Structure formats: structure tokens, C-alpha cells
Amino acid sequence: MGTPWEAQEVVDPSLLALNEPLADELGLDPAVLRSPDGLLLMTGNLVPEGAAPVAQAYAGHQFGHYSPRLGDGRALLLGEVTDNEGRLRDIHLKGSGRTPFARAGDGQAVVGPMLREYVLSEAMHALGIPTTRSLAVVSTGKTVLRETRLPGALLARVASSHLRVGTFQYARATGDLDLLRRLADHAIVRHYPDAAQAEHPYRALLRGVIDAQASLVARWMLVGFVHGVMNTDNMTISGETIDYGPCAFMEAYDPGAVYSSIDHAGRYAYGNQPVVAEWDLARFAEALLPLLHDDQEQAAAIATEALGHFSREYSTHWSRGAKAKIGLRDDVEDQTASELVQDLLELLHRHEVDYTTLFRSLSAAVSGAPEPARALFADPAAFDAWMRRWTPLRPDAELMNEVNPVYIPRNHLVEEALTAATAGDLDPLHRLLTAVTHPYDERPGLERYAAAAPEEFGAYRTFCGT
Ligand code: AMP
Ligand code: MG
């Protein structure tokens, strides 16, 4: 579903970032991608033989309100490549000019937000979280009017597919049942091949997506990631994180953490993400109803039953991950671990403690150096009391260092890198990438990439006008 379309002409392209390991994975030669023809390729200005770029159609609920026609307003699916592990990957451009789905948009993207997606998605990948990847950011040499005049850019993005919950909503809304069925069959072949063998493949597809999203959102929660715009058009069928707009990593632990300037009601706050994911999945189930059973009442019962698995799956993933974050292994009861985690999170909330720093400092705390962790609390006595319950369980420092990152793309560092890049200096961006693409591996010289934002950085706001 989509419209064949062409990218706008880019007269003066220049490469700002190229992901060489990813290029290798895709069987693309980084040297070729850096050449003039490579830049034409990554701006959609040179279309490889056999490729037929399309602007994809989708619908979606944005902040709870249904839009029947969203689609790639400034993006194009260039085509698919088979990577060196035999997996099919989409290559997609963002910022490639207006399409028939552009509505009032100008079809453009700018340097800051495209590099932001590059950094954040690569950091997420390095953290082990399923995500779309970023292959390259190319500046266009063109000025784009936002609140100010900003340099234009394109992002070349790689995904296991761009099928979204909104894609199914769009197909369902056409009333063409055959289209919906073909879309579901395609999703099964591409992402849930086991579902094809199930007694009811479409029900298995629904369960597959529910489980993948439960696992994904649990992983976000475990690292303190706030997506910021969990509209149904920004939820993939594959279970990859997609569309890095107003997202941010939480610093001080706070379930109410919101960064997006347009999320006034906190619909997409950190602590709401599991509930919102379930809501989005209910929209997916609705779109699938005609395929679940011929009788729509029975179909609804099947959908409800499947959705009921979300919170269980989510809790399982969260609890297992949280238990590892405090270094506890199977010999410790889940209930004991879960109470310890809950109590620790309450302490962090009350004392406004940096989530990432605290969890990383726990490994030292059990290895005879509790001071860095204690120092994060205004009143260390409360933490000491927690420690006295925790240390007798013999937490595993090595395990903790494998799951608690040292380096995340902290908001002040991302801003610093993007501001410099927008002004033409790419060094801070590359230093930041060095830190966050090996997030668990503490290295000398990178101390400032592990530190919380300075007080004067203030409350962080992200903007959707990307
Ligand atoms: P997003 O908030 O990035 O997920 O985008 C929501 C919808 O708005 C999608 O259909 C986008 O293609 C479209 N969109 C966002 N920015 C622009 C733009 N500058 N020009 C055209 N369409 C846009
Ligand atoms: Mg989107």
C-alpha cells in the first residue's frame, strides 16, 4: 500500500554520519557509499536498477485521535536488501521531499533531528534493544524554515520492515478484506513465520505482536527510555522501536517523566508506556477482527483474550530484567527481588536520584565501594537500610555491569552534539557516538559521558517539529 514516488533533487549533498558496521552488515561498501554516487543513492537521487521507491500509506491514532490518512509525508521506502545473515531489511529515507501524504508539511527534515535519530537509535541498538537502525545522515545544502532557518538533511534508515499498527488500521479502513488478509500474510512471512504453522495463523500473528511489544516496552522501561510519541503509526509489527522524535532518556527516576513539549497531559510519560502500548495493541486487534473469526462477537472475545496476555508478558519481562539490574540470580525468589526493586525505585523517586548512575553504581556497592551510590542520596541512611536487605543475597557485580549501562545518550550531551553539528562541528557527535555505541564498557577519558546533566541544564523539553 503506497504510491510510487521520487525523492526531491539534492544538489549539494554532504555526508555527516555513516554507519560503517551497518553498511558492512548490509553488504554495502562504505567506500562506495562515501563516493558521489553513494551520496546520490542515499538521497534517493540515484535509484538502483530494479528498485521502485514508494511513499507508504498508513493511518493511526495520534494522542488517541484517529487520522485515516497519515503515511510517509516526507519519507520513502527505497527498497529491500538481504543482509549478510539472509534477513530482508528495508532501506528508507526520511526528509526526501513532499509526497502525496505530506498534508501541510514541507517534506523536509533538518540536521539536528536526523542526527538525533541516528544517535538515539544506534544507542538503543547497542543497549540490545530492538530498533530501526541508522545508516547515514546526509545534509542537503538547502535551508529549511522551522522556527528559525536550519540546515536540511536526510536520514537513511534501516528496518526489518516499516509495517506499523497504523498500516493495518489503514488496510482495515479500506473495507477491502482481501487487502487486509494479504497484509497480514505478508507480516507473517516477514516477521512471524511460525504463525503460518499455527491452527489460526492470524490469531498467532496477534499474539506474536503483543508479545514482541510487551518485551520491547519492558526493555525501554529497564533503561529509562521515554519514546514520547507512541501513536499507533509509530508502533511496529516487528517489535522494533521506530520514529525517534521527541524521545529522551530519563535522568532522575520519575514515573511521570515527560519530555515532549506537545504531550501536555503526559499521555506518553515514562510510567504510562506499558498501558499505552496495550491501548495501541487494542487498536491493532480491532484492525484484525475480521481475520480472527467470521463471527465478530467471537472475534472480539478472541482479541480480548489475546490482549489479556500483554500485562502478564510485560510483567515477566520487566521482573526478569529488573532482577538482573540488582544482580540477583535464580536462587533468589522472584517475590523478594521484586519487593527490593520496588523499594529501591521508591527511594530513587523520593530522592530524585539519577536512574542510570544509581544502577551502574550498585556493582561497586557490593564490591566494597558503596560511597558513590550512597552519595547519590540526600539521606544515605535510607539507602543503607536498603543495602542491608540486599547485600546478604550476594548480588552478582558482573551480571549488573552487563545489564546496567554506563553511557546513555544523555539529553545535555545530545543537545551539545547536535548544536555543534548544526554549526558544522561534528567532533562532539562522534565522541558521543563512541561512548553510547559501547554502553556497558566503561572507558577512561569518557567520564563526562557518564555524568548526569549539570544543574543549569534545567528541565529538558523535546520538540516534535522535527
Ligand atoms: P511523526 O510524528 O514523525 O511520526 O509523523 C507523523 C506524520 O506526519 C507522518 O505521516 C509523517 O510523514 C508526517 N510528517 C511529519 N513531518 C513532516 C514534514 N515535515 N512534511 C511532511 N510530512 C511530515
Ligand atoms: Mg511516525
Side-chain angles (χ1 to χ4, degrees):
M1 291 178 304
T3 309
W5 203 252
E6 275 177 29
Q8 67 187 351
E9 194 184 354
V10 177
V11 185
D12 188 18
S14 131
L15 190 62
L16 299 182
L18 177 67
N19 191 338
E20 297 205 357
L22 180 59
D24 287 336
E25 224 179 281
L26 298 172
L28 303 171
D29 180 352
V32 173
L33 292 181
R34 287 183 185 282
S35 75
D37 272 0
L39 292 195
L40 288 178
L41 201 70
M42 288 187 294
T43 51
N45 283 220
L46 178 75
V47 176
E49 236 184 69
V54 290
Q56 288 182 297
Y58 49 84
H61 278 86
Q62 299 181 304
F63 288 91
H65 301 286
Y66 181 63
S67 280
R69 191 178 139 108
L70 292 168
D72 290 334
R74 54 163 174 175
L76 286 178
L77 177 62
L78 272 190
E80 294 166 348
V81 293
T82 303
D83 71 14
N84 55 18
E85 284 180 24
R87 297 171 299 186
L88 209 51
R89 314 273 291 266
D90 275 7
I91 300 193
H92 179 96
L93 297 181
K94 198 161 168 176
S96 50
R98 296 191 84 239
T99 76
F101 302 105
R103 295 170 290 155
D106 61 4
Q108 308 302 314
V110 297
V111 167
M114 293 307 101
L115 287 176
R116 205 178 139 74
E117 173 153 345
Y118 188 104
V119 173
L120 270 288
S121 63
E122 288 308 306
M124 291 286 272
H125 172 72
L127 287 164
I129 299 174
T131 177
T132 62
R133 304 286 308 276
S134 293
L135 178 62
V137 176
V138 179
S139 71
T140 60
K142 210 163 114 171
T143 300
V144 176
L145 195 61
R146 288 290 181 263
E147 269 143 38
T148 55
R149 293 159 69 82
L150 293 169
L154 280 105
L155 169 76
R157 169 164 93 183
V158 176
S160 70
S161 88
H162 281 80
L163 299 177
R164 306 156 189 259
V165 167
T167 318
F168 280 79
Q169 292 181 288
Y170 184 89
R172 172 73 204 275
T174 62
D176 180 347
L177 202 58
D178 185 55
L179 178 67
L180 181 65
R181 188 173 291 117
R182 282 188 290 131
L183 177 63
D185 289 339
H186 174 66
I188 288 172
V189 169
R190 187 125 177 188
H191 301 299
Y192 299 94
D194 291 349
Q197 315 305 322
E199 191 185 349
H200 298 288
Y202 302 124
R203 298 180 200 174
L205 169 65
L206 175 60
R207 269 305 299 276
V209 176
I210 288 170
D211 292 357
Q213 286 292 337
S215 160
L216 178 67
V217 175
R219 286 163 184 250
W220 291 356
M221 299 298 284
L222 289 163
V223 297
F225 175 74
V226 184
H227 183 283
V229 59
M230 291 174 69
N231 295 332
T232 57
D233 52 308
N234 292 337
M235 179 183 264
T236 58
I237 298 306
S238 64
E240 287 178 346
T241 311
I242 195 169
D243 279 357
Y244 292 83
C247 58
F249 276 78
M250 175 175 69
E251 295 229 315
Y253 176 78
D254 176 10
V258 173
Y259 298 93
S260 169
S261 57
I262 60 166
D263 190 3
H264 307 294
R267 179 182 173 92
Y268 300 138
Y270 171 73
N272 265 1
Q273 296 185 119
V275 172
V276 168
E278 194 176 346
W279 190 92
D280 286 353
L281 288 163
R283 309 288 79 75
F284 178 55
E286 273 168 15
L288 280 185
L289 281 179
L291 303 181
L292 299 179
H293 201 285
D294 289 339
D295 177 295
Q296 287 306 277
E297 238 169 75
Q298 291 197 49
I302 290 162
T304 306
E305 196 271 331
L307 288 163
H309 287 275
F310 178 86
S311 60
R312 238 166 306 150
E313 282 291 319
Y314 171 78
S315 296
T316 305
H317 287 291
W318 160 264
S319 306
R320 196 180 299 145
K323 189 171 180 180
K325 281 181 88 67
I326 58 169
L328 300 183
R329 295 208 177 261
D330 291 345
D331 56 320
V332 176
E333 294 255 354
D334 286 351
Q335 182 62 26
T336 309
S338 145
E339 280 165 19
L340 276 167
V341 168
Q342 266 335 332
D343 293 347
L344 181 60
L345 291 178
E346 259 165 51
L347 278 183
L348 299 193
H349 192 194
R350 182 144 29 96
H351 294 256
E352 299 179 23
V353 173
D354 188 277
Y355 182 75
T356 305
T357 309
L358 183 278
F359 276 100
R360 184 67 185 199
S361 70
L362 291 180
S363 59
V366 285
S367 316
E371 268 322 306
R374 295 185 76 240
L376 296 168
F377 295 84
D379 167 23
F383 178 66
D384 291 341
W386 184 85
M387 283 267 288
R388 281 195 294 274
R389 293 162 56 205
W390 174 60
T391 42
L393 302 171
R394 292 183 297 112
D396 181 338
E398 216 170 290
L399 169 64
M400 285 190 275
N401 283 344
E402 281 166 18
V403 298
N404 294 322
V406 196
Y407 312 111
I408 51 164
R410 289 180 179 273
N411 305 318
H412 67 293
L413 299 170
V414 172
E415 286 308 312
E416 170 192 87
L418 302 190
T419 304
T422 302
D425 176 10
L426 293 169
D427 285 351
L429 174 81
H430 290 296
R431 281 200 295 271
L432 176 58
L433 282 168
T434 301
V436 300
T437 52
H438 295 89
Y440 301 106
D441 177 13
E442 189 164 8
R443 285 154 287 164
L446 294 179
E447 290 75 12
R448 70 184 292 269
Y449 294 91
E455 195 98 27
E456 63 269 21
F457 185 66
Y460 189 53
R461 280 276 158 269
T462 54
F463 295 91
C464 237
T466 52

